[in-house]
Amino acid sequence: MSVNLRSVFAFAKEYHQKKESQKDIQYGTAGFRSHADNLDYVMYRMGLLAALRSRAKASQAIGVMITASHNPEHDNGVKLIDPLGEMLEQRWEQLATDLVNVPDSGLEAQVAKICEDEQIDNNEPAKVFVGMDTRYHSPQLSRAVVNGILALKGTVTEFGIVTTPMLHYFVTCTNTQNAYGLPTEEGYMGKLIAAFKALRGEQAEPGNYRNQLYYDGANGVGSLKMLGFIKKLNGALNVKVFNSNGKINFNCGADFVKTNHRVPEGLPEEAALASGRCCSVDGDADRVVYYFTDKEGTFRLLDGDRIATLLAGYLKDLIEQCGVQLEMGLVQTAYANGASTDYIVNRMKIPVSCTRTGVKHLHHKALEYDVGVYFEANGHGTIIYSDKAKQAIRAASQDESRTEEQRKTAARLLQMIDLTNETVGDAISDMLLVETVLHAKGWNLDDWLASYTDLPNVLEKVYLADRNVIAVTDADRVVVAPAGLQDSINEIVAKFPKGRSFVRPSGTEDIVRVYAEADTRENAVQLAFEVANLVFDQAGGVGSRPVKMEG
């Protein structure tokens, strides 16, 4: 096999040109995202980079996922998946940014530089898996990715329409020689459903738990795949799917529910009237939130913080019951509700770490524990079990010196591990985990909500001329530039009981997000309003001044 770089880039200039007017973009926490019309050349170049990454990783499979997740329908995006299902290595994020932003005339030299710097032999095999979400422009953009891979003589496996977590799973299975499972849609569904049914047992509705879930598919791939799951569940969980064939993420999905704090459009009437148990996933099904309407007609949200505490508490009980000594920890971001952190540390007695926003940061930190639970408040998260933990739990399940109950509990933990997609946040896997724990406890959503009371919180946006004037540290919780801004924020926060506020620049647009929480909704709104206007004045706000949200 011989790769002719010159012909590769002649093809790029002919079919996947980068226009001179197109602005530089940056590989962020979720890869590249933009309006779909701007992404053809980006996709081609990410195909090139995926082939190079595979060769740099001893010809292991690399994933390329085409999705814009919770973004509007007109957007799309692309991100690379490393050999064990991880996000792309941070150093290669910069290589991706550099490769995408060079003009066509510099593309050949840029690829040659990556090959030289990373000592890549283009005579070695390259294996790339490609998946996409349901956006109407995804097939065309997928073709551009495939062209890039083939231009560098890579081997492509196209999985078509899949959830993002499924592609992570396929990559991991392949690179572990199927030790993690079979790298097919049937293998993925079969593993999760077998574990779920084993954990579920025969009793359908213990305690206050009811075997009925309303599932908002965000008009994306999550609805499509859930319809397939329902057939294989055979009533082990009754799921009614809604929002399955409209505009992706439009007035529905996990991000809409979390941001607007209200039910999505399309919710069946009986779900709202009968305190139905509802969940929403996002466009590519890597995040999930739960919610219901209580007897007083009030909307109640159970987000990623709630999911983390529910799962961590249950796992802690199982670990203690089977007598295995493991270090467990929970990882959050600054957006986690202060009440959840207090509950985890002081009531559940589980250590909590705080990282920068972005799943890759939480995932990396969770690897430091034997059992690491991580969730962002938006509902994106999972659980990671170390090899030590898996070996200890498996040994306990077979240890005749332990009681029968301890061995059964250890076996249950092994099923929980199989039900978990450890590679990345997975809305379907996480949903099945939540249903398992609620079923085991005999809880409805009122019972779950009663475990602790969230502090009222508000999220505001401030538009700036240049977001880069804001610099933060300490897991995004402290502003270091402009000088004096953090001191002024502290002065405002001090006026409010249980007050907490921080600001964080967006990774993709010139806005700053202001988070505020306090003892009452009124105080949280006022705190957010004052901090947002402070940022507007001291950091170069543009457009209209921030206005106070409704109390």
Side-chain angles (χ1 to χ4, degrees):
M1 176 180 65
S2 176
V3 175
N4 184 333
L5 294 186
R6 185 156 296 175
S7 64
V8 163
F9 304 113
F11 184 82
K13 291 172 187 177
E14 180 72 22
Y15 297 105
H16 301 288
Q17 283 189 357
K18 178 185 178 184
K19 300 173 184 176
E20 292 183 7
S21 60
Q22 288 176 312
K23 296 180 180 179
D24 284 0
I25 57 176
Q26 186 170 353
Y27 195 104
T29 55
F32 294 112
R33 282 191 195 165
S34 182
H35 194 287
D37 292 345
N38 301 326
L39 287 172
D40 180 81
Y41 77 97
V42 173
M43 296 293 178
Y44 179 78
R45 295 177 187 206
M46 286 302 94
L48 298 174
L49 192 74
L52 295 176
R53 181 64 176 165
S54 176
R55 290 182 175 124
K57 300 299 287 185
S59 299
Q60 293 184 91
I62 297 295
V64 180
M65 185 66 198
I66 299 159
T67 181
S69 187
H70 57 277
N71 281 34
E73 187 176 56
H74 58 69
D75 286 347
N76 216 317
V78 59
K79 63 179 179 180
L80 269 60
I81 300 168
D82 260 355
L84 292 181
E86 327 95 297
M87 302 295 187
L88 181 64
E89 180 186 333
Q90 194 163 358
R91 189 171 59 82
W92 274 67
E93 290 181 6
Q94 188 58 52
L95 297 185
T97 299
D98 293 342
L99 182 63
V100 162
N101 290 325
V102 296
D104 287 341
S105 60
L107 193 52
E108 180 179 347
Q110 190 66 33
V111 170
K113 183 177 186 301
I114 293 172
C115 292
E116 182 179 358
D117 291 348
E118 303 299 322
Q119 298 181 330
I120 293 169
D121 182 355
N122 274 318
N123 292 310
E124 292 298 316
K127 183 188 300 182
V128 183
F129 291 176
V130 179
M132 61 183 174
D133 69 15
T134 55
R135 294 164 201 267
Y136 65 88
H137 31 68
S138 288
Q140 178 182 346
L141 295 175
S142 176
R143 179 48 47 191
V145 170
V146 170
N147 284 347
I149 299 163
L150 295 177
L152 282 178
K153 303 295 175 65
T155 301
V156 185
T157 302
E158 295 184 74
F159 285 92
I161 295 174
V162 291
T163 69
T164 294
M166 287 170 68
L167 192 65
H168 283 256
Y169 175 87
F170 299 154
V171 169
T172 305
C173 291
T174 296
N175 291 326
T176 58
Q177 289 72 52
N178 297 350
Y180 193 66
L182 297 177
T184 63
E185 188 165 330
E186 292 75 16
Y188 166 83
M189 294 175 69
K191 181 181 179 182
L192 294 185
I193 289 171
F196 180 73
K197 287 182 175 179
L199 287 161
R200 192 83 162 177
E202 297 299 322
Q203 190 176 6
E205 296 190 337
N208 292 329
Y209 181 85
R210 294 294 171 264
N211 188 23
Q212 180 64 63
L213 175 68
Y214 297 90
Y215 176 100
D216 165 22
N219 295 318
V221 62
S223 59
L224 185 67
K225 300 307 177 186
M226 181 48 59
L227 292 170
F229 264 89
I230 290 171
K231 294 178 183 177
K232 295 179 181 295
L233 283 167
N234 293 323
L237 177 64
N238 292 326
V239 183
K240 184 169 184 177
V241 175
F242 60 102
N243 291 331
S244 60
N245 57 6
K247 186 179 291 187
I248 192 168
N249 297 320
F250 183 70
N251 290 341
C252 62
D255 190 63
F256 174 86
V257 171
K258 170 67 175 171
T259 302
N260 295 283
H261 212 77
R262 64 183 178 91
V263 300
E265 291 186 2
L267 181 71
E269 187 175 348
E270 70 267 22
L273 294 179
S275 297
R277 189 170 72 255
C278 309
C279 73
S280 288
V281 306
D282 63 334
D284 67 333
D286 64 1
R287 63 172 72 172
V288 62
V289 296
Y290 272 72
Y291 50 93
F292 69 108
T293 304
D294 67 17
K295 294 176 181 178
E296 286 72 42
T298 303
F299 174 82
R300 301 292 187 182
L301 176 67
L302 298 111
D303 60 10
D305 296 340
R306 292 278 180 177
I307 294 171
T309 59
L310 179 76
L311 300 184
Y314 185 68
L315 289 172
K316 182 172 185 281
D317 289 345
L318 291 184
I319 290 167
E320 290 176 349
Q321 288 167 20
C322 72
V324 177
Q325 299 300 312
L326 297 173
E327 183 185 4
M328 184 176 183
L330 199 149
V331 187
Q332 297 181 319
T333 72
Y335 287 107
N337 194 280
S340 74
T341 308
D342 180 72
Y343 177 77
I344 296 161
V345 173
N346 296 315
R347 288 280 300 279
M348 297 172 66
K349 305 298 182 184
I350 297 175
V352 172
S353 299
C354 184
T355 72
R356 293 178 58 196
T357 300
V359 175
K360 63 184 178 184
H361 302 299
L362 286 93
H363 191 96
H364 181 75
K365 187 67 178 179
L367 290 169
E368 297 179 9
Y369 298 101
D370 294 326
V371 180
V373 181
Y374 74 82
F375 274 85
E376 293 188 298
N378 62 25
H380 193 162
T382 189
I383 307 158
I384 303 174
Y385 300 85
S386 68
D387 288 340
K388 171 191 168 184
K390 292 174 182 176
Q391 291 166 7
I393 294 166
R394 187 169 290 106
S397 72
Q398 302 168 352
D399 186 354
E400 295 295 333
S401 68
R402 296 179 187 270
T403 67
E404 183 180 0
E405 190 61 33
Q406 285 179 318
R407 293 196 300 273
K408 285 184 177 179
T409 303
R412 188 169 181 83
L413 267 172
L414 291 175
Q415 296 288 1
M416 290 290 286
I417 293 172
D418 276 349
L419 188 55
T420 306
N421 186 349
E422 297 179 71
T423 67
V424 74
D426 183 335
I428 294 175
S429 166
D430 290 339
M431 182 204 80
L432 294 174
L433 285 166
V434 167
E435 293 297 320
T436 295
V437 177
L438 293 177
H439 178 271
K441 290 178 173 288
W443 279 6
N444 59 22
L445 295 192
D446 271 313
D447 298 323
W448 182 9
L449 190 68
S451 54
Y452 65 87
T453 302
D454 276 322
L455 288 169
N457 59 91
V458 174
L459 190 61
E460 284 270 23
K461 288 182 182 178
V462 181
Y463 290 85
L464 304 182
D466 179 7
R467 69 183 184 275
N468 294 312
V469 302
I470 298 276
V472 295
T473 187
D474 189 19
D476 299 336
R477 293 176 291 188
V478 176
V479 177
V480 294
L485 178 56
Q486 185 62 52
D487 290 338
S488 298
I489 293 173
N490 294 343
E491 290 176 9
I492 295 173
V493 168
K495 299 188 301 183
F496 297 90
K498 297 186 179 179
R500 183 168 74 92
S501 183
F502 66 91
V503 303
R504 186 181 75 87
S506 166
T508 57
E509 52 186 328
D510 284 324
I511 64 171
V512 167
R513 293 182 172 88
V514 175
Y515 177 88
E517 65 182 34
D519 61 331
T520 66
R521 170 74 179 177
E522 182 182 10
N523 280 342
V525 168
Q526 182 64 29
L527 174 55
F529 173 70
E530 293 187 23
V531 173
N533 276 276
L534 176 70
V535 171
F536 187 90
D537 290 334
Q538 294 195 17
V542 295
S544 302
R545 295 188 67 85
V547 297
K548 188 186 292 188
M549 297 178 65
E550 294 183 11

